[in-house]
Amino acid sequence: MRPDQHAAAPSGDDLDDLPRSVREIAQVIGRDAALRLIGQLPTCMGGAPGKRSSRVMLYVPKKLAPDHRLVRILGAEKAMALVRAFGGEVLQPANCRRIFARYRDEAIVKMLRAGAGLPMVLSIMRVSRRHVVNLVRANEMTRGDEG
């Protein structure tokens, strides 16, 4: 998806743009927590040769120790909600790459409009100069707005 094709990122309880596999998790722990969780999961490559893609997997245990990684990521209350809903299951939620890209691009535009310089944006966001230039054009920002 090109930078100018991103719609504004929904927030709060709006789950419509989430893939079904992520929506199921978000209905239990909320949209923001579900996206935070997926962003913290390790990725693995899967699929047939020539059609490989990045995937995330999550085993939800039936019981949680207080120092379990889910508790550290989500907090005890939300981690326990996941256990009640999915305990003992291996979940394979979508990686949400497009959603994360939309949030990243919005953050880049906000940084530039707030006066951040291009080198700082490139360093923090780890994107190419070309990507930032495309965002500037797509958001009709002047060259001075970009830093």
Side-chain angles (χ1 to χ4, degrees), residues 4 27 51 73 75 97 129 133 139:
D4 59 336
Q27 288 169 336
K51 295 185 178 187
I73 294 171
R97 191 175 306 153
R129 178 181 214 89
V133 168
N139 288 277

Side-chain angles (χ1 to χ4, degrees), residues 81-140:
L82 264 186
V83 167
R84 285 190 297 275
F86 303 107
E89 293 183 38
V90 175
L91 305 178
Q92 296 183 10
N95 62 24
C96 295
R97 191 175 306 153
R98 288 186 179 150
I99 294 170
F100 291 129
R102 185 173 59 218
Y103 279 108
R104 178 204 61 213
D105 292 350
E106 287 178 4
I108 290 170
V109 170
K110 285 178 185 175
M111 289 174 71
L112 293 170
R113 287 194 170 135
L118 184 59
M120 178 186 288
V121 172
L122 296 176
S123 173
I124 292 172
M125 302 306 275
R126 304 240 182 241
V127 294
S128 69
R129 178 181 214 89
R130 166 64 49 208
H131 186 73
V132 175
V133 168
N134 289 341
L135 284 172
V136 167
R137 287 184 186 141
N139 288 277
E140 299 176 0

Side-chain angles (χ1 to χ4, degrees), residues 70-89:
L70 284 176
V71 175
R72 289 193 307 267
I73 294 171
L74 299 171
E77 185 178 323
K78 290 184 180 188
M80 284 307 299
L82 264 186
V83 167
R84 285 190 297 275
F86 303 107
E89 293 183 38

Side-chain angles (χ1 to χ4, degrees), residues 21-22 25-26 29 32-45 54-61 68-74 82 86 89-97 100:
S21 60
V22 177
I25 296 170
I29 62 174
D32 292 341
L35 290 173
R36 183 171 57 251
L37 173 62
I38 289 167
Q40 295 293 314
L41 295 175
T43 58
C44 61
M45 296 302 288
S54 171
R55 298 174 182 210
V56 295
M57 293 177 68
L58 168 67
Y59 171 70
V60 181
H68 192 277
R69 186 166 187 228
L70 284 176
V71 175
R72 289 193 307 267
I73 294 171
L74 299 171
L82 264 186
F86 303 107
E89 293 183 38
V90 175
L91 305 178
Q92 296 183 10
N95 62 24
C96 295
R97 191 175 306 153
F100 291 129

